[in-house]
mmCIF file of all heavy atoms in Angstrom:
data_model
loop_
_atom_site.group_PDB
_atom_site.id
_atom_site.type_symbol
_atom_site.label_atom_id
_atom_site.label_comp_id
_atom_site.label_asym_id
_atom_site.label_seq_id
_atom_site.Cartn_x
_atom_site.Cartn_y
_atom_site.Cartn_z
ATOM 1 N N GLU A 1 135.735 202.979 24.077
ATOM 2 C CA GLU A 1 135.477 201.682 24.715
ATOM 3 C C GLU A 1 136.232 200.582 23.942
ATOM 4 O O GLU A 1 136.830 199.705 24.583
ATOM 5 C CB GLU A 1 134.036 201.430 24.785
ATOM 6 C CG GLU A 1 133.212 202.316 25.728
ATOM 7 C CD GLU A 1 131.776 202.313 25.582
ATOM 8 O OE1 GLU A 1 131.233 201.985 24.450
ATOM 9 O OE2 GLU A 1 131.045 202.499 26.579
ATOM 10 N N LEU A 2 136.179 200.693 22.650
ATOM 11 C CA LEU A 2 136.841 199.753 21.785
ATOM 12 C C LEU A 2 138.383 199.797 21.969
ATOM 13 O O LEU A 2 139.034 198.812 22.122
ATOM 14 C CB LEU A 2 136.544 200.012 20.289
ATOM 15 C CG LEU A 2 137.132 199.068 19.275
ATOM 16 C CD1 LEU A 2 136.682 197.624 19.532
ATOM 17 C CD2 LEU A 2 136.809 199.503 17.847
ATOM 18 N N GLN A 3 138.910 200.999 22.037
ATOM 19 C CA GLN A 3 140.367 201.175 22.372
ATOM 20 C C GLN A 3 140.727 200.590 23.684
ATOM 21 O O GLN A 3 141.777 199.954 23.835
ATOM 22 C CB GLN A 3 140.757 202.630 22.196
ATOM 23 C CG GLN A 3 140.664 203.255 20.809
ATOM 24 C CD GLN A 3 141.415 202.418 19.793
ATOM 25 O OE1 GLN A 3 142.562 202.044 19.997
ATOM 26 N NE2 GLN A 3 140.785 202.131 18.709
ATOM 27 N N ALA A 4 139.885 200.806 24.658
ATOM 28 C CA ALA A 4 140.221 200.233 26.004
ATOM 29 C C ALA A 4 140.245 198.744 26.001
ATOM 30 O O ALA A 4 141.008 198.109 26.598
ATOM 31 C CB ALA A 4 139.161 200.749 27.044
ATOM 32 N N MET A 5 139.261 198.157 25.222
ATOM 33 C CA MET A 5 139.260 196.676 25.007
ATOM 34 C C MET A 5 140.540 196.215 24.330
ATOM 35 O O MET A 5 141.165 195.238 24.693
ATOM 36 C CB MET A 5 138.032 196.265 24.209
ATOM 37 C CG MET A 5 136.821 196.118 25.026
ATOM 38 S SD MET A 5 135.502 195.383 24.101
ATOM 39 C CE MET A 5 134.201 196.514 24.254
ATOM 40 N N PHE A 6 140.900 196.891 23.236
ATOM 41 C CA PHE A 6 142.202 196.472 22.528
ATOM 42 C C PHE A 6 143.401 196.552 23.493
ATOM 43 O O PHE A 6 144.207 195.628 23.470
ATOM 44 C CB PHE A 6 142.378 197.360 21.356
ATOM 45 C CG PHE A 6 141.552 197.058 20.122
ATOM 46 C CD1 PHE A 6 141.028 198.032 19.336
ATOM 47 C CD2 PHE A 6 141.270 195.752 19.793
ATOM 48 C CE1 PHE A 6 140.317 197.747 18.250
ATOM 49 C CE2 PHE A 6 140.463 195.417 18.674
ATOM 50 C CZ PHE A 6 139.919 196.455 17.959
ATOM 51 N N LEU A 7 143.469 197.578 24.243
ATOM 52 C CA LEU A 7 144.557 197.709 25.236
ATOM 53 C C LEU A 7 144.539 196.572 26.196
ATOM 54 O O LEU A 7 145.604 195.992 26.506
ATOM 55 C CB LEU A 7 144.500 199.087 25.894
ATOM 56 C CG LEU A 7 145.628 199.332 26.968
ATOM 57 C CD1 LEU A 7 146.965 199.319 26.318
ATOM 58 C CD2 LEU A 7 145.361 200.681 27.630
ATOM 59 N N LEU A 8 143.403 196.227 26.740
ATOM 60 C CA LEU A 8 143.271 195.181 27.685
ATOM 61 C C LEU A 8 143.755 193.810 27.030
ATOM 62 O O LEU A 8 144.464 193.032 27.656
ATOM 63 C CB LEU A 8 141.883 195.038 28.252
ATOM 64 C CG LEU A 8 141.615 193.842 29.127
ATOM 65 C CD1 LEU A 8 142.555 193.865 30.380
ATOM 66 C CD2 LEU A 8 140.218 193.689 29.500
ATOM 67 N N PHE A 9 143.236 193.568 25.861
ATOM 68 C CA PHE A 9 143.589 192.342 25.090
ATOM 69 C C PHE A 9 145.096 192.232 24.858
ATOM 70 O O PHE A 9 145.682 191.204 24.964
ATOM 71 C CB PHE A 9 142.747 192.116 23.883
ATOM 72 C CG PHE A 9 141.251 192.055 24.128
ATOM 73 C CD1 PHE A 9 140.334 192.495 23.248
ATOM 74 C CD2 PHE A 9 140.734 191.494 25.286
ATOM 75 C CE1 PHE A 9 138.992 192.470 23.489
ATOM 76 C CE2 PHE A 9 139.426 191.414 25.557
ATOM 77 C CZ PHE A 9 138.552 191.894 24.677
ATOM 78 N N GLU A 10 145.709 193.353 24.497
ATOM 79 C CA GLU A 10 147.102 193.429 24.326
ATOM 80 C C GLU A 10 147.895 193.093 25.577
ATOM 81 O O GLU A 10 148.878 192.347 25.564
ATOM 82 C CB GLU A 10 147.614 194.745 23.800
ATOM 83 C CG GLU A 10 149.079 194.886 23.539
ATOM 84 C CD GLU A 10 149.507 196.242 23.126
ATOM 85 O OE1 GLU A 10 149.261 197.257 23.811
ATOM 86 O OE2 GLU A 10 150.123 196.294 22.085
ATOM 87 N N GLN A 11 147.392 193.697 26.713
ATOM 88 C CA GLN A 11 148.052 193.444 27.975
ATOM 89 C C GLN A 11 147.919 191.852 28.356
ATOM 90 O O GLN A 11 148.810 191.362 28.943
ATOM 91 C CB GLN A 11 147.411 194.264 29.109
ATOM 92 C CG GLN A 11 147.785 195.712 28.955
ATOM 93 C CD GLN A 11 146.927 196.606 29.952
ATOM 94 O OE1 GLN A 11 145.851 196.190 30.429
ATOM 95 N NE2 GLN A 11 147.349 197.837 30.086
ATOM 96 N N ILE A 12 146.776 191.264 27.995
ATOM 97 C CA ILE A 12 146.634 189.897 28.357
ATOM 98 C C ILE A 12 147.498 188.995 27.464
ATOM 99 O O ILE A 12 148.042 188.021 28.027
ATOM 100 C CB ILE A 12 145.094 189.547 28.203
ATOM 101 C CG1 ILE A 12 144.278 190.217 29.252
ATOM 102 C CG2 ILE A 12 144.970 187.984 28.224
ATOM 103 C CD1 ILE A 12 142.800 190.102 28.943
ATOM 104 N N THR A 13 147.515 189.314 26.167
ATOM 105 C CA THR A 13 148.347 188.433 25.337
ATOM 106 C C THR A 13 149.828 188.728 25.369
ATOM 107 O O THR A 13 150.608 187.827 25.055
ATOM 108 C CB THR A 13 147.881 188.596 23.780
ATOM 109 O OG1 THR A 13 147.998 189.972 23.432
ATOM 110 C CG2 THR A 13 146.421 188.167 23.661
ATOM 111 N N ASP A 14 150.261 189.880 25.792
ATOM 112 C CA ASP A 14 151.653 190.237 25.928
ATOM 113 C C ASP A 14 151.794 191.107 27.126
ATOM 114 O O ASP A 14 152.017 192.343 27.032
ATOM 115 C CB ASP A 14 152.252 190.876 24.672
ATOM 116 C CG ASP A 14 153.684 191.005 24.663
ATOM 117 O OD1 ASP A 14 154.341 190.521 25.667
ATOM 118 O OD2 ASP A 14 154.267 191.457 23.691
ATOM 119 N N PRO A 15 151.829 190.531 28.360
ATOM 120 C CA PRO A 15 151.772 191.357 29.536
ATOM 121 C C PRO A 15 153.014 192.220 29.803
ATOM 122 O O PRO A 15 152.987 193.140 30.559
ATOM 123 C CB PRO A 15 151.569 190.342 30.682
ATOM 124 C CG PRO A 15 151.919 188.989 30.124
ATOM 125 C CD PRO A 15 151.708 189.129 28.623
ATOM 126 N N ILE A 16 154.061 191.885 29.124
ATOM 127 C CA ILE A 16 155.279 192.764 29.345
ATOM 128 C C ILE A 16 155.538 193.658 28.229
ATOM 129 O O ILE A 16 156.525 194.322 28.159
ATOM 130 C CB ILE A 16 156.526 191.852 29.722
ATOM 131 C CG1 ILE A 16 157.026 191.075 28.532
ATOM 132 C CG2 ILE A 16 156.339 191.083 30.949
ATOM 133 C CD1 ILE A 16 158.422 190.546 28.682
ATOM 134 N N ALA A 17 154.675 193.742 27.249
ATOM 135 C CA ALA A 17 154.872 194.654 26.119
ATOM 136 C C ALA A 17 155.046 196.053 26.533
ATOM 137 O O ALA A 17 155.900 196.810 26.028
ATOM 138 C CB ALA A 17 153.657 194.561 25.111
ATOM 139 N N ASN A 18 154.376 196.420 27.611
ATOM 140 C CA ASN A 18 154.477 197.799 28.169
ATOM 141 C C ASN A 18 155.008 197.772 29.574
ATOM 142 O O ASN A 18 154.529 198.477 30.483
ATOM 143 C CB ASN A 18 153.081 198.470 28.156
ATOM 144 C CG ASN A 18 152.560 198.611 26.698
ATOM 145 O OD1 ASN A 18 153.247 199.047 25.855
ATOM 146 N ND2 ASN A 18 151.333 198.151 26.546
ATOM 147 N N ALA A 19 156.116 196.909 29.764
ATOM 148 C CA ALA A 19 156.685 196.774 31.063
ATOM 149 C C ALA A 19 157.312 198.106 31.496
ATOM 150 O O ALA A 19 157.395 199.074 30.661
ATOM 151 C CB ALA A 19 157.755 195.730 30.983
ATOM 152 N N CYS A 20 157.754 198.137 32.726
ATOM 153 C CA CYS A 20 158.156 199.461 33.327
ATOM 154 C C CYS A 20 159.357 200.072 32.508
ATOM 155 O O CYS A 20 160.161 199.337 31.959
ATOM 156 C CB CYS A 20 158.490 199.312 34.728
ATOM 157 S SG CYS A 20 160.092 198.715 35.094
ATOM 158 N N ASP A 21 159.431 201.360 32.535
ATOM 159 C CA ASP A 21 160.483 202.110 31.988
ATOM 160 C C ASP A 21 161.596 202.195 33.141
ATOM 161 O O ASP A 21 161.222 202.794 34.150
ATOM 162 C CB ASP A 21 160.094 203.475 31.556
ATOM 163 C CG ASP A 21 161.306 204.393 31.089
ATOM 164 O OD1 ASP A 21 162.396 203.828 31.037
ATOM 165 O OD2 ASP A 21 161.032 205.491 30.812
ATOM 166 N N CYS A 22 162.630 201.560 32.949
ATOM 167 C CA CYS A 22 163.614 201.393 34.107
ATOM 168 C C CYS A 22 164.640 202.532 34.290
ATOM 169 O O CYS A 22 165.691 202.323 34.748
ATOM 170 C CB CYS A 22 164.321 200.061 33.946
ATOM 171 S SG CYS A 22 163.210 198.744 34.175
ATOM 172 N N THR A 23 164.210 203.765 33.935
ATOM 173 C CA THR A 23 165.054 204.878 34.219
ATOM 174 C C THR A 23 165.208 205.052 35.791
ATOM 175 O O THR A 23 166.169 205.578 36.269
ATOM 176 C CB THR A 23 164.558 206.101 33.621
ATOM 177 O OG1 THR A 23 163.224 206.312 34.041
ATOM 178 C CG2 THR A 23 164.627 206.077 32.085
ATOM 179 N N ASP A 24 164.205 204.535 36.503
ATOM 180 C CA ASP A 24 164.253 204.598 37.987
ATOM 181 C C ASP A 24 164.464 203.239 38.573
ATOM 182 O O ASP A 24 163.887 203.007 39.568
ATOM 183 C CB ASP A 24 162.952 205.205 38.518
ATOM 184 C CG ASP A 24 162.784 206.642 38.085
ATOM 185 O OD1 ASP A 24 163.802 207.333 37.889
ATOM 186 O OD2 ASP A 24 161.570 207.168 37.879
ATOM 187 N N PHE A 25 165.252 202.432 37.993
ATOM 188 C CA PHE A 25 165.478 201.027 38.443
ATOM 189 C C PHE A 25 166.518 201.096 39.585
ATOM 190 O O PHE A 25 167.674 201.298 39.291
ATOM 191 C CB PHE A 25 165.902 200.178 37.295
ATOM 192 C CG PHE A 25 166.022 198.700 37.579
ATOM 193 C CD1 PHE A 25 164.866 197.897 37.813
ATOM 194 C CD2 PHE A 25 167.170 198.102 37.841
ATOM 195 C CE1 PHE A 25 164.945 196.616 38.136
ATOM 196 C CE2 PHE A 25 167.343 196.745 38.045
ATOM 197 C CZ PHE A 25 166.154 196.059 38.255
ATOM 198 N N TYR A 26 166.096 200.832 40.795
ATOM 199 C CA TYR A 26 167.028 200.770 41.896
ATOM 200 C C TYR A 26 167.201 199.331 42.417
ATOM 201 O O TYR A 26 166.198 198.705 42.657
ATOM 202 C CB TYR A 26 166.586 201.682 43.012
ATOM 203 C CG TYR A 26 166.438 203.149 42.686
ATOM 204 C CD1 TYR A 26 165.193 203.661 42.395
ATOM 205 C CD2 TYR A 26 167.601 203.914 42.487
ATOM 206 C CE1 TYR A 26 165.077 205.015 41.958
ATOM 207 C CE2 TYR A 26 167.472 205.197 42.122
ATOM 208 C CZ TYR A 26 166.259 205.790 41.864
ATOM 209 O OH TYR A 26 166.169 207.120 41.441
ATOM 210 N N ILE A 27 168.365 198.849 42.569
ATOM 211 C CA ILE A 27 168.648 197.539 42.984
ATOM 212 C C ILE A 27 168.859 197.417 44.459
ATOM 213 O O ILE A 27 168.373 196.565 45.084
ATOM 214 C CB ILE A 27 169.790 196.933 42.235
ATOM 215 C CG1 ILE A 27 169.505 196.889 40.737
ATOM 216 C CG2 ILE A 27 170.120 195.535 42.729
ATOM 217 C CD1 ILE A 27 170.784 196.577 39.895
ATOM 218 N N GLN A 28 169.644 198.292 45.040
ATOM 219 C CA GLN A 28 170.020 198.278 46.454
ATOM 220 C C GLN A 28 168.797 198.140 47.327
ATOM 221 O O GLN A 28 167.883 198.943 47.302
ATOM 222 C CB GLN A 28 170.776 199.580 46.833
ATOM 223 C CG GLN A 28 171.247 199.697 48.205
ATOM 224 C CD GLN A 28 172.411 198.712 48.586
ATOM 225 O OE1 GLN A 28 173.256 198.432 47.699
ATOM 226 N NE2 GLN A 28 172.341 198.106 49.694
ATOM 227 N N GLY A 29 168.801 197.062 48.081
ATOM 228 C CA GLY A 29 167.711 196.847 49.128
ATOM 229 C C GLY A 29 166.387 196.409 48.502
ATOM 230 O O GLY A 29 165.397 196.193 49.251
ATOM 231 N N LYS A 30 166.304 196.163 47.195
ATOM 232 C CA LYS A 30 165.000 195.762 46.546
ATOM 233 C C LYS A 30 165.043 194.260 46.304
ATOM 234 O O LYS A 30 166.025 193.635 46.002
ATOM 235 C CB LYS A 30 164.887 196.447 45.208
ATOM 236 C CG LYS A 30 164.856 198.022 45.327
ATOM 237 C CD LYS A 30 163.623 198.498 46.052
ATOM 238 C CE LYS A 30 163.532 199.954 46.097
ATOM 239 N NZ LYS A 30 162.364 200.434 46.760
ATOM 240 N N THR A 31 163.856 193.674 46.378
ATOM 241 C CA THR A 31 163.775 192.262 46.141
ATOM 242 C C THR A 31 163.427 192.005 44.646
ATOM 243 O O THR A 31 162.670 192.841 44.021
ATOM 244 C CB THR A 31 162.634 191.585 47.010
ATOM 245 O OG1 THR A 31 161.370 192.182 46.687
ATOM 246 C CG2 THR A 31 162.928 191.598 48.477
ATOM 247 N N PHE A 32 163.996 190.993 44.113
ATOM 248 C CA PHE A 32 163.722 190.690 42.676
ATOM 249 C C PHE A 32 163.592 189.237 42.426
ATOM 250 O O PHE A 32 164.140 188.425 43.226
ATOM 251 C CB PHE A 32 164.833 191.266 41.777
ATOM 252 C CG PHE A 32 166.226 190.684 42.072
ATOM 253 C CD1 PHE A 32 166.674 189.538 41.396
ATOM 254 C CD2 PHE A 32 167.040 191.246 43.043
ATOM 255 C CE1 PHE A 32 167.838 189.011 41.705
ATOM 256 C CE2 PHE A 32 168.277 190.701 43.290
ATOM 257 C CZ PHE A 32 168.679 189.587 42.632
ATOM 258 N N CYS A 33 162.744 188.876 41.537
ATOM 259 C CA CYS A 33 162.485 187.500 41.105
ATOM 260 C C CYS A 33 162.750 187.403 39.672
ATOM 261 O O CYS A 33 162.450 188.366 38.908
ATOM 262 C CB CYS A 33 161.084 187.104 41.435
ATOM 263 S SG CYS A 33 160.665 185.413 41.092
ATOM 264 N N LEU A 34 163.381 186.351 39.160
ATOM 265 C CA LEU A 34 163.650 186.162 37.787
ATOM 266 C C LEU A 34 162.784 185.056 37.159
ATOM 267 O O LEU A 34 162.466 184.085 37.846
ATOM 268 C CB LEU A 34 165.140 185.742 37.597
ATOM 269 C CG LEU A 34 166.205 186.666 38.243
ATOM 270 C CD1 LEU A 34 167.573 186.105 38.045
ATOM 271 C CD2 LEU A 34 166.112 188.094 37.635
ATOM 272 N N THR A 35 162.474 185.204 35.881
ATOM 273 C CA THR A 35 161.642 184.203 35.159
ATOM 274 C C THR A 35 162.149 184.176 33.777
ATOM 275 O O THR A 35 162.579 185.163 33.166
ATOM 276 C CB THR A 35 160.151 184.408 35.268
ATOM 277 O OG1 THR A 35 159.487 183.344 34.693
ATOM 278 C CG2 THR A 35 159.746 185.760 34.507
ATOM 279 N N GLY A 36 162.152 182.973 33.179
ATOM 280 C CA GLY A 36 162.517 182.746 31.807
ATOM 281 C C GLY A 36 164.061 182.546 31.646
ATOM 282 O O GLY A 36 164.775 182.467 32.715
ATOM 283 N N GLU A 37 164.471 182.521 30.464
ATOM 284 C CA GLU A 37 165.941 182.327 30.131
ATOM 285 C C GLU A 37 166.519 183.666 29.698
ATOM 286 O O GLU A 37 165.789 184.493 29.044
ATOM 287 C CB GLU A 37 166.130 181.304 28.992
ATOM 288 C CG GLU A 37 165.496 179.982 29.368
ATOM 289 C CD GLU A 37 166.177 179.315 30.597
ATOM 290 O OE1 GLU A 37 167.336 179.439 30.791
ATOM 291 O OE2 GLU A 37 165.380 178.704 31.396
ATOM 292 N N PHE A 38 167.697 183.953 30.071
ATOM 293 C CA PHE A 38 168.347 185.224 29.856
ATOM 294 C C PHE A 38 169.449 185.223 28.798
ATOM 295 O O PHE A 38 170.253 184.378 28.788
ATOM 296 C CB PHE A 38 168.939 185.799 31.209
ATOM 297 C CG PHE A 38 167.848 186.157 32.208
ATOM 298 C CD1 PHE A 38 167.191 185.184 32.935
ATOM 299 C CD2 PHE A 38 167.491 187.520 32.333
ATOM 300 C CE1 PHE A 38 166.188 185.499 33.861
ATOM 301 C CE2 PHE A 38 166.513 187.794 33.296
ATOM 302 C CZ PHE A 38 165.877 186.817 33.964
ATOM 303 N N LYS A 39 169.320 186.209 27.912
ATOM 304 C CA LYS A 39 170.424 186.363 26.916
ATOM 305 C C LYS A 39 171.741 186.748 27.620
ATOM 306 O O LYS A 39 172.786 186.295 27.073
ATOM 307 C CB LYS A 39 170.026 187.538 25.980
ATOM 308 C CG LYS A 39 170.548 187.420 24.581
ATOM 309 C CD LYS A 39 170.140 188.617 23.759
ATOM 310 C CE LYS A 39 168.821 188.379 23.023
ATOM 311 N NZ LYS A 39 168.493 189.332 22.050
ATOM 312 N N TYR A 40 171.674 187.417 28.722
ATOM 313 C CA TYR A 40 172.895 187.812 29.390
ATOM 314 C C TYR A 40 173.688 186.616 29.935
ATOM 315 O O TYR A 40 174.908 186.656 30.021
ATOM 316 C CB TYR A 40 172.520 188.746 30.612
ATOM 317 C CG TYR A 40 173.691 189.284 31.357
ATOM 318 C CD1 TYR A 40 174.409 190.341 30.881
ATOM 319 C CD2 TYR A 40 174.094 188.710 32.538
ATOM 320 C CE1 TYR A 40 175.534 190.849 31.551
ATOM 321 C CE2 TYR A 40 175.172 189.206 33.295
ATOM 322 C CZ TYR A 40 175.836 190.254 32.772
ATOM 323 O OH TYR A 40 176.933 190.748 33.500
ATOM 324 N N GLY A 41 172.975 185.554 30.204
ATOM 325 C CA GLY A 41 173.643 184.375 30.744
ATOM 326 C C GLY A 41 172.693 183.567 31.663
ATOM 327 O O GLY A 41 171.457 183.763 31.663
ATOM 328 N N GLN A 42 173.207 182.538 32.286
ATOM 329 C CA GLN A 42 172.373 181.723 33.206
ATOM 330 C C GLN A 42 171.686 182.605 34.213
ATOM 331 O O GLN A 42 172.170 183.716 34.597
ATOM 332 C CB GLN A 42 173.287 180.751 33.946
ATOM 333 C CG GLN A 42 173.938 179.725 33.061
ATOM 334 C CD GLN A 42 172.872 178.681 32.521
ATOM 335 O OE1 GLN A 42 171.946 178.376 33.224
ATOM 336 N NE2 GLN A 42 173.064 178.314 31.316
ATOM 337 N N ARG A 43 170.542 182.132 34.580
ATOM 338 C CA ARG A 43 169.782 182.921 35.666
ATOM 339 C C ARG A 43 170.577 183.129 36.903
ATOM 340 O O ARG A 43 170.468 184.172 37.474
ATOM 341 C CB ARG A 43 168.479 182.092 35.958
ATOM 342 C CG ARG A 43 167.518 182.924 36.753
ATOM 343 C CD ARG A 43 166.259 182.075 37.173
ATOM 344 N NE ARG A 43 165.477 181.649 35.924
ATOM 345 C CZ ARG A 43 164.350 181.059 35.962
ATOM 346 N NH1 ARG A 43 163.811 180.788 37.201
ATOM 347 N NH2 ARG A 43 163.754 180.677 34.909
ATOM 348 N N SER A 44 171.330 182.173 37.269
ATOM 349 C CA SER A 44 172.189 182.291 38.518
ATOM 350 C C SER A 44 173.218 183.418 38.362
ATOM 351 O O SER A 44 173.485 184.148 39.309
ATOM 352 C CB SER A 44 172.869 180.974 38.868
ATOM 353 O OG SER A 44 173.695 180.548 37.707
ATOM 354 N N LEU A 45 173.660 183.596 37.120
ATOM 355 C CA LEU A 45 174.591 184.762 36.943
ATOM 356 C C LEU A 45 173.977 186.055 37.017
ATOM 357 O O LEU A 45 174.444 187.037 37.648
ATOM 358 C CB LEU A 45 175.262 184.644 35.514
ATOM 359 C CG LEU A 45 176.153 185.735 35.054
ATOM 360 C CD1 LEU A 45 177.343 185.901 35.971
ATOM 361 C CD2 LEU A 45 176.583 185.594 33.634
#
């Protein structure tokens, strides 16, 4: 129960710490939304 609480609190404080593993990331025909600033370049790029 304590471990489940720690996991939940980690997800709350850093919700993308365990973001998806993108080995199955398909772009064609998928909708995407961007947030934040990107190292790659401007959001529009």
Side-chain angles (χ1 to χ4, degrees):
E1 295 167 328
L2 182 62
Q3 292 304 316
M5 280 190 232
F6 282 143
L7 179 60
L8 174 63
F9 298 149
E10 179 183 55
Q11 290 169 343
I12 292 168
T13 58
D14 191 0
I16 67 163
N18 299 311
C20 84
D21 175 5
C22 292
T23 54
D24 294 330
F25 186 76
Y26 299 104
I27 298 171
Q28 181 69 37
K30 301 293 184 180
T31 59
F32 62 90
C33 183
L34 305 178
T35 187
E37 302 299 324
F38 290 79
K39 209 181 269 189
Y40 183 80
Q42 294 289 325
R43 192 182 297 186
S44 58
L45 175 63

